[in-house]
């Protein structure tokens, strides 16, 4: 088979799902820039032709390292599924003369550049200001309407995102955000293509008012969606839309769900906005994950586009519901093979699938009063979900059994999660109700397995003002990013 170099870094789909899907189309050579998940080794290891472990920061630039290893294995394509390696892999592919995201890839990573591109192209984005100094913060409050969201330009999974109402809060938040980014970097959640990127780069943006009620069929949905797709030689192919539950403060994702309960006409409106956003970025060949905020009276705003697939379980959700093997499609595209794209983005699928992030907050965003140990097997899951639904742990992105659930930290975003669960259900409404039931039952269900609580939809939460926060502990185990 044709050799492909798979650059593994933090984040992205679990290897137990990703590697078999890559290996179905190519000979997989792994360059691991982060510790490999040994807990699922029996599943993914047989699909690897070779594995080389080379953590960054040992005197060799990541792009040089990727190029050297790609030449060594004779790779005809280089692939990553991690947010943090996207830019490095794109640059390496350019140097090697291989297909990849292209020379404009940074526009799909640096949130400041991304917004500048969209603003200039007329794509709807919240008003924003870049933050380099405290003077920039003062200037931002002179022209933007608070509350504002302080956002790390190179983060993922809502890490170092904080809501602020005034200049003083913003200055404190900026200091906290930099500490969080430094701690995340020490844990491997850091931009790989340049060691100095990400820690101090921030922006402030207005918080636009979302309204899910004008869009969705039924209650309990969050006010934003994602469009998953692939760009092939500059041509954008939107593949499907995934929905969300309401976020918790400030904007940390709780659950990703497919299909989204949106009328077909509205899905196609969202599709066209995502097309304008992706086209403006000028990408070549890569996956795309585009997040869009939904407002009243049909208003939409772009949140971000990434040059990779969404979330850790998004690819599996899409395959389960829509029958699209997005990883396999991207591999074939990178290798220059024929790919059968849908003539029109599918809006309906079979059944429903989702991923649920376990964080130490209740459905309204209030912190748990107790922090029990995480243990998937301790919970009576069938008592919490519909008869035809199933729940399974994503072991690569969950704490080891017996590990205390960490407290939720707003600045930490998804890095505060204890576990990730993958759910399937017979319908979208049942899946949404299943997720709400689980969130209502925890943490009690972790310590009292026999307790079954009423299944009811979770209430949406509102963004809160900045509260006292502490940076992520560098020695606390964190299961991964879900951005």
């Amino acid at each position: 088979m044709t050799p492909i170099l798979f650059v593994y870094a933090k984040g992205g789909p679990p290897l137990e799902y990703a590697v078999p899907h890559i290996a179905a189309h190519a000979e997989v050579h792994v360059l691991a820039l982060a510790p490999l998940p040994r807990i699922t080794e029996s599943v993914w290891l047989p699909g690897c032709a070779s594995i080389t472990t080379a953590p960054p920061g040992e005197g060799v630039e990541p792009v040089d390292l990727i190029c050297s290893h790609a030449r060594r294995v004779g790779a005809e394509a280089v692939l990553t599924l991690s947010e943090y390696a996207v830019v490095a892999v794109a640059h390496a592919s350019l140097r090697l003369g291989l297909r990849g995201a292209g020379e404009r890839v940074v526009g799909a990573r640096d949130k400041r550049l991304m917004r500048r591109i969209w603003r200039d192209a007329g794509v709807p984005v919240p008003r924003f200001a870049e933050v380099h100094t405290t003077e920039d913060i003062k200037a931002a409050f002179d022209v933007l309407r608070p509350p504002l969201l302080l956002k790390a330009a190179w983060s993922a999974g809502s890490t170092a995102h904080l809501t602020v109402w005034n200049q003083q809060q913003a200055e404190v938040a900026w200091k906290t955000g930099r500490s969080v980014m430094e701690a995340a970097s020490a844990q491997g959640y850091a931009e790989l293509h340049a060691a100095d990127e990400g820690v101090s780069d921030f922006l402030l943006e207005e918080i636009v008012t979302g309204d899910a009620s004008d869009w969705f069929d039924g209650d309990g949905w969050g006010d934003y969606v994602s469009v998953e797709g692939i760009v092939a030689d500059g041509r954008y192919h939107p593949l499907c839309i995934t929905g969300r539950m309401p976020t918790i403060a400030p904007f940390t994702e709780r659950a990703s769900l497919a299909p989204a309960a949106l009328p077909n006409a509205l899905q196609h409106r969202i599709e066209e906005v995502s097309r304008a956003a992706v086209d403006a970025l000028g990408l070549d060949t890569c996956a795309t994950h585009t997040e869009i905020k939904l407002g009243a009276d049909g208003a939409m705003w772009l949140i971000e586009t990434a040059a990779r697939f969404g979330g850790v379980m998004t690819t599996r959700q899409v395959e389960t519901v829509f029958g699209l093997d997005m990883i396999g499609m991207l591999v074939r595209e990178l290798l220059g093979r024929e790919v059968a794209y849908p003539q029109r983005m599918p809006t309906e699928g079979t059944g429903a699938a989702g991923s649920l992030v376990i964080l130490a907050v209740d459905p309204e965003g209030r912190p748990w009063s107790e922090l029990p140990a995480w243990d998937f097997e301790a919970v009576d899951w069938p008592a919490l979900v519909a008869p035809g639904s199933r729940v399974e742990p994503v072991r690569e992105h969950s704490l080891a059994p017996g590990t205390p659930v960490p407290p939720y930290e707003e600045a930490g975003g998804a890095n505060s999660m204890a576990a990730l669960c993958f759910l399937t259900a017979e319908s979208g409404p049942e899946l949404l109700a299943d997720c709400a039931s689980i969130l209502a039952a925890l943490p009690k269900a972790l310590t009292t397995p026999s307790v079954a609580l009423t299944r009811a939809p979770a209430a949406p939460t509102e963004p809160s003002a900045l509260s006292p926060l502490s940076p992520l502990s560098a020695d606390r185990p964190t299961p991964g990013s879900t951005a």
Side-chain angles (χ1 to χ4, degrees):
M1 296 182 76
T2 306
I4 189 171
L5 181 63
F6 174 46
V7 179
Y8 173 78
K10 293 279 190 176
L15 289 193
E16 62 180 327
Y17 177 84
V19 169
H21 283 71
I22 303 169
H25 304 276
E27 180 183 273
V28 183
H29 296 269
V30 178
L31 175 60
L33 304 182
L36 292 161
R38 299 300 179 187
I39 190 170
T40 56
E41 188 178 76
S42 62
V43 179
W44 58 259
L45 186 59
C48 302
S50 72
I51 297 175
T52 300
T53 301
E58 297 184 354
V60 179
E61 290 295 326
V63 173
D64 294 336
L65 180 64
I66 294 168
C67 288
S68 173
H69 200 66
R71 294 187 184 102
R72 187 178 304 127
V73 300
E76 294 190 19
V78 182
L79 168 70
T80 188
L81 301 172
S82 166
E83 176 85 355
Y84 305 107
V86 160
V87 176
V89 165
H91 288 174
S93 297
L94 283 168
R95 189 181 299 178
L96 293 164
L98 302 175
R99 291 177 177 84
E103 60 185 12
R104 296 181 62 184
V105 65
V106 176
R109 182 73 179 100
D110 181 349
K111 296 174 176 62
R112 301 163 303 176
L113 176 58
M114 189 186 303
R115 279 153 180 73
R116 291 199 300 269
I117 292 171
W118 284 342
R119 179 190 59 198
D120 295 344
V123 177
V125 292
R127 294 202 304 157
F128 68 96
E130 298 183 20
V131 175
H132 304 278
T133 67
T134 54
E135 287 74 20
D136 293 332
I137 293 175
K138 180 181 183 303
F141 277 90
D142 288 339
V143 297
L144 302 180
R145 184 183 67 251
L148 304 179
L149 182 64
L150 180 76
K151 182 178 291 187
W154 297 87
S155 69
S158 298
T159 304
H161 286 25
L162 291 163
T163 305
V164 295
W165 291 82
N166 56 51
Q167 180 182 343
Q168 183 180 10
Q169 280 188 338
E171 291 177 1
V172 173
W174 190 35
K175 181 178 180 181
T176 299
R178 284 178 290 175
S179 297
V180 168
M181 290 298 289
E182 288 173 355
S185 177
Q187 296 171 347
Y189 301 100
E191 186 61 33
L192 292 172
H193 86 283
D196 58 347
E197 297 284 9
V199 172
S200 299
D201 298 334
F202 283 75
L203 67 152
L204 282 163
E205 66 180 22
E206 291 184 346
I207 298 176
V208 293
T209 302
D211 188 347
S213 63
D214 281 1
W215 294 83
F216 287 93
D217 295 331
D219 298 326
W221 291 91
D223 58 10
Y224 74 109
V225 295
S226 296
V227 185
E228 312 303 330
I230 292 175
V231 179
D233 292 327
R235 182 182 178 188
Y236 176 50
H237 299 274
L239 297 176
C240 68
I241 294 175
T242 57
R244 300 291 188 276
M245 293 185 77
T247 59
I248 58 174
F251 292 101
T252 300
E253 186 171 303
R254 191 106 221 211
S256 170
L257 311 169
L262 289 160
N264 288 353
L266 294 183
Q267 292 202 45
H268 290 309
R269 280 196 61 219
I270 293 168
E271 174 188 0
E272 291 311 309
V273 172
S274 74
R275 184 181 303 280
V278 174
D279 287 350
L281 295 175
L283 299 169
D284 189 357
T285 298
C286 61
T288 60
H289 170 71
T290 302
E291 297 182 354
I292 300 175
K293 184 87 164 180
L294 307 176
D297 302 320
M300 285 181 268
W301 300 270
L302 268 295
I303 301 174
E304 64 181 66
T305 288
R308 44 86 181 164
F309 293 123
V312 289
M313 297 303 290
T314 301
T315 49
R316 184 176 172 190
Q317 290 169 223
V318 172
E319 184 174 24
T320 300
V321 174
F322 297 103
L324 297 172
D325 172 13
M326 296 197 298
I327 291 179
M329 294 166 74
L330 179 59
V331 169
R332 294 184 63 82
E333 192 65 62
L334 290 171
L335 292 172
R337 298 175 186 166
E338 183 178 352
V339 179
Y341 295 103
Q343 290 187 348
R344 190 74 190 267
M345 183 189 75
T347 57
E348 298 178 356
T350 302
S355 50
L356 180 66
V357 180
I358 305 300
L359 297 160
V361 290
D362 68 13
E364 285 72 43
R366 295 183 294 258
W368 289 354
S369 58
E370 58 179 318
L371 293 173
W374 170 251
D375 186 355
F376 181 87
E377 300 300 330
V379 178
D380 184 6
W381 298 103
L384 302 179
V385 299
S389 301
R390 298 291 180 268
V391 185
E392 64 182 84
V394 182
R395 294 180 293 168
E396 289 181 27
H397 297 280
S398 299
L399 297 175
T403 304
V405 173
Y408 175 67
E409 295 173 339
E410 291 186 16
N415 285 341
S416 299
M417 77 178 182
L420 187 71
C421 295
F422 183 76
L423 292 80
T424 56
E426 294 179 353
S427 70
E430 283 193 348
L431 178 65
L432 191 62
D434 290 340
C435 290
S437 174
I438 291 168
L439 295 179
L442 296 174
K444 192 172 183 179
L446 283 167
T447 54
T448 313
S450 62
V451 174
L453 302 182
T454 302
R455 298 172 70 246
T461 60
E462 298 295 332
S464 66
L466 179 67
S467 57
L469 298 165
S470 59
L472 286 174
S473 169
D475 58 359
R476 193 186 69 210
T478 54
S481 170
T482 62

